[in-house]
């Protein structure tokens, strides 16, 4: 049985990111949010596009106003008003100024802007009541970005700031990585769908819905393959189909050591290499991770063989193992160059946290900001791997390392942050 850290290292080493030559598509800027940029972006535009004013005030020649004060103000003639979007036709001569507004083009001859709060206007003249700094409140052309250089690198997620930059750079279309395809199915004769009436001994397959939601939140595309009965032939058929269409395959159930847990045997019959069979963690001990031989070129989604995760059947264990192992794998696969590792924080525990110390233990709860310090509040009720109810509205997992049996209230604890960025 592997440690959690060893299992994580094996999984992330197995993940091969999407290929920028084959696994890309062109999208419009308005639909590019949350996508992963596949190629670097440059722009033919300088930022700012021209010298412009950072303040409402007066465009002046510094040499005219370098000795101004409230006691002895310099008086300049106002020759023009320059609003934003207007190109001045004048050149500022000695003894002259132009009224200018934020974002407007600096007129020829001027090199400094005096903010209006340090002036007094009288008809067609302005009194400069303070000495500005040379070139004050002038945003110089190309001082933010120089045309032709890299604007944004490949491998980043496009959030609202990046979308704004691309819009300003007049990039209407972008090359992004396609969304990773994740095949999802659940195993078990006892499972029914949400719209079926429950019979004695049956349970609703919540795992499929939870995993599909998690996959969507990660930016990948879920491929729902449904419920598969505990039948070796049916399992082999759905796994074979998943190999042909997906980058990652996620099954839940059937990976323990029960009489009806067939998944590992079927993987072996398909010549899969099983890298992980169990992990020293609670919940989530029964975890299978496997890879397959190269697929036939006709059926390939990409050159990489899919990565198979056989997740536990218990619902809490499914969510914990997804957050801990699958989510980083999807992020790395998606083409993100950095930031796909799990995010851990050291925070204060509000509650007493207990474990038997035999395995690395994950307890779910919520982070609260108390007087500027994050505090972990454990979810109430049972922390059984079969209890899904108290996982609702949680956003963090407290981690008790192997050998650690108690964390007292107000003691520090390491937590896995669950919010998907």
């Amino acid at each position: 049985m592997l440690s959690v850290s060893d299992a994580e290292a094996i999984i992330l080493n197995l993940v091969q990111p999407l290929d920028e030559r084959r696994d890309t598509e062109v999208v419009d800027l308005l639909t590019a949010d949350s996508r992963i940029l596949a190629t670097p972006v440059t722009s033919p535009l300088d930022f700012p596009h021209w010298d412009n004013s950072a303040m409402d005030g007066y465009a002046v020649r510094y040499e005219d106003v370098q000795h101004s004060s409230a006691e002895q103000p310099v008086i300049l003639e106002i020759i023009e008003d320059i609003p934003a979007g207007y190109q001045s036709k004048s050149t500022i001569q000695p003894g002259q100024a132009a009224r200018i507004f934020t974002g407007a083009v600096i007129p020829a001859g001027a090199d400094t802007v005096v903010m209006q709060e340090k002036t007094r206007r009288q008809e067609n003249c302005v009194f400069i009541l303070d000495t500005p700094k040379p070139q004050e409140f002038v945003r110089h052309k190309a001082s933010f970005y120089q045309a032709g250089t890299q604007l944004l690198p490949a491998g980043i997620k496009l959030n609202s700031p990046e979308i704004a930059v691309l819009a300003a750079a007049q990039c209407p279309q972008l090359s992004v990585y396609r969304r990773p395809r994740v095949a999802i199915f659940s195993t078990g004769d006892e499972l029914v769908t949400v719209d079926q009436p429950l019979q004695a001994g049956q349970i609703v397959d919540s795992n499929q819905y939870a995993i599909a939601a998690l996959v969507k939140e990660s930016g990948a595309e879920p491929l729902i393959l449904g419920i598969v009965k505990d039948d070796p032939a049916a399992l082999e058929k759905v796994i074979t189909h998943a190999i042909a269409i997906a980058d990652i395959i996620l099954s839940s159930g059937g990976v323990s050591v029960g009489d009806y847990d067939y998944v590992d045997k079927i993987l072996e019959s398909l010549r899969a290499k099983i890298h992980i069979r169990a992990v020293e963690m609670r919940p989530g001990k029964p975890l299978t991770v496997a890879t397959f031989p190269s697929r036939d070129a006709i059926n390939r989604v990409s050159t990489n063989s899919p990565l198979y995760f056989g997740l536990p059947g218990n619902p809490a264990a499914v969510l914990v193992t997804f957050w801990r192992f699958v989510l980083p794998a999807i992020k790395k696969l998606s083409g993100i160059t950095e930031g796909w590792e799990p995010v851990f924080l050291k925070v204060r525990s509000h509650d007493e946290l207990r474990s038997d110390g035999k395995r690395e233990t994950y307890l779910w709860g919520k982070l609260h900001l108390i007087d500027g310090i994050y505090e972990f509040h454990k979810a109430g009720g049972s922390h059984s791997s079969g209890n899904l109810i108290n996982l609702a509205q949680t956003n963090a997992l407290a981690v008790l390392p192997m050998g650690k049996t108690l964390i007292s209230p107000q003691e520090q604890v390491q937590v896995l942050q669950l919010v998907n960025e």
Side-chain angles (χ1 to χ4, degrees), residues 40 78 84 92 107 127 146 167 177 181 223 235 264 288 304 325 328 333 352 373 378 383 385 410 418:
I78 301 170
I92 302 300
F127 291 69
Q146 187 174 1
Y177 287 105
R181 301 183 181 102
L223 308 174
L235 282 167
D264 281 12
T288 295
N304 298 328
F325 299 120
L333 174 71
E352 180 179 274
I373 297 173
K378 178 183 151 185
H383 280 245
S385 62
Q410 304 307 305
L418 303 183

Side-chain angles (χ1 to χ4, degrees), residues 309-361:
F309 289 88
L311 305 179
N314 281 317
V318 164
L319 290 171
V320 170
T321 50
F322 186 98
W323 284 320
R324 187 63 184 85
F325 299 120
V326 181
L327 181 57
I330 292 175
K331 285 184 174 181
K332 183 178 180 183
L333 174 71
S334 71
I336 296 175
T337 53
E338 59 182 19
W340 31 262
E341 303 90 344
V343 177
F344 291 96
L345 304 173
K346 278 282 190 182
V347 305
R348 185 173 62 200
S349 179
H350 176 268
D351 306 294
E352 180 179 274
L353 307 177
R354 286 189 173 272
S355 163
D356 63 11
K358 295 178 181 178
R359 284 180 270 161
E360 187 166 301
T361 300

Side-chain angles (χ1 to χ4, degrees), residues 9-304:
I10 289 171
I11 291 166
L12 292 179
N13 187 55
L14 290 171
V15 175
Q16 297 300 314
L18 295 175
D19 193 301
E20 69 273 11
R21 295 165 296 177
R22 293 182 304 273
D23 299 316
T24 61
E25 57 189 10
V26 176
V27 298
D28 292 336
L29 184 59
L30 281 174
T31 62
D33 58 294
S34 299
R35 301 301 296 270
I36 309 302
L37 192 62
T39 55
V41 174
T42 60
S43 174
L45 300 174
D46 290 316
F47 287 88
H49 309 320
W50 45 74
D51 289 357
N52 70 88
S53 177
M55 193 69 65
D56 290 350
Y58 294 87
V60 302
R61 291 160 23 102
Y62 176 74
E63 60 185 284
D64 286 345
V65 299
Q66 58 184 315
H67 301 301
S68 297
S69 67
E71 294 76 21
Q72 292 185 311
V74 170
I75 303 171
L76 303 174
E77 177 191 6
I78 301 170
I79 64 167
E80 188 177 23
D81 281 5
I82 308 176
Y86 172 75
Q87 179 66 56
S88 171
K89 304 296 191 299
S90 305
T91 297
I92 302 300
Q93 302 293 336
Q96 294 180 337
R99 178 76 169 110
I100 197 166
F101 297 88
T102 302
V105 180
I106 300 294
D111 57 18
T112 300
V113 172
V114 181
M115 63 189 299
Q116 64 184 18
E117 291 83 355
K118 295 183 179 180
T119 66
R120 177 168 55 85
R121 183 164 183 168
Q122 185 175 320
E123 296 181 348
N124 205 34
C125 292
V126 59
F127 291 69
I128 308 300
L129 305 177
D130 194 13
T131 300
K133 297 177 182 177
Q135 303 183 54
E136 190 168 25
F137 299 124
V138 175
R139 295 186 290 220
H140 292 283
K141 178 181 178 181
S143 59
F144 301 163
Y145 168 80
Q146 187 174 1
T149 60
Q150 182 172 283
L151 182 65
L152 293 176
I156 63 169
K157 186 176 180 181
L158 298 174
N159 294 315
S160 52
E162 291 78 23
I163 296 295
V165 168
L166 292 165
Q170 293 188 316
C171 297
Q173 293 186 316
L174 303 163
S175 175
V176 299
Y177 287 105
R178 64 170 176 81
R179 297 186 188 277
R181 301 183 181 102
V182 182
I184 303 166
F185 64 93
S186 302
T187 68
D189 291 340
E190 74 280 15
L191 300 178
V192 297
T193 61
V194 295
D195 55 351
Q196 290 180 270
L198 282 176
Q199 304 297 324
Q202 293 182 329
I203 57 174
V204 175
D205 175 24
S206 63
N207 288 346
Q208 187 168 177
Y209 294 90
I211 294 171
L214 289 166
V215 167
K216 287 181 182 178
E217 290 169 11
S218 73
E221 176 187 355
L223 308 174
I224 308 299
L225 303 184
I227 297 170
V228 185
K229 297 299 183 182
D230 287 323
D231 174 70
L235 282 167
E236 182 172 344
K237 181 178 179 180
V238 76
I239 292 173
T240 301
H241 175 57
I243 292 170
I245 63 172
D247 302 295
I248 288 178
I249 303 169
L250 302 179
S251 68
S252 63
V255 293
S256 190
V257 291
D259 292 340
Y260 298 98
D261 294 333
Y262 299 119
V263 169
D264 281 12
K265 295 176 183 177
I266 292 169
L267 293 176
E268 290 171 351
S269 73
L270 293 172
R271 297 187 295 121
K273 182 176 180 180
I274 299 179
H275 302 269
I276 298 172
R277 294 180 185 272
V279 181
E280 291 178 321
M281 66 185 293
R282 176 178 284 119
K285 175 185 172 184
L287 174 70
T288 295
V289 177
T291 52
F292 300 90
S294 297
R295 292 173 289 195
D296 179 77
I298 295 175
N299 295 324
R300 282 174 126 137
V301 174
S302 69
T303 57
N304 298 328

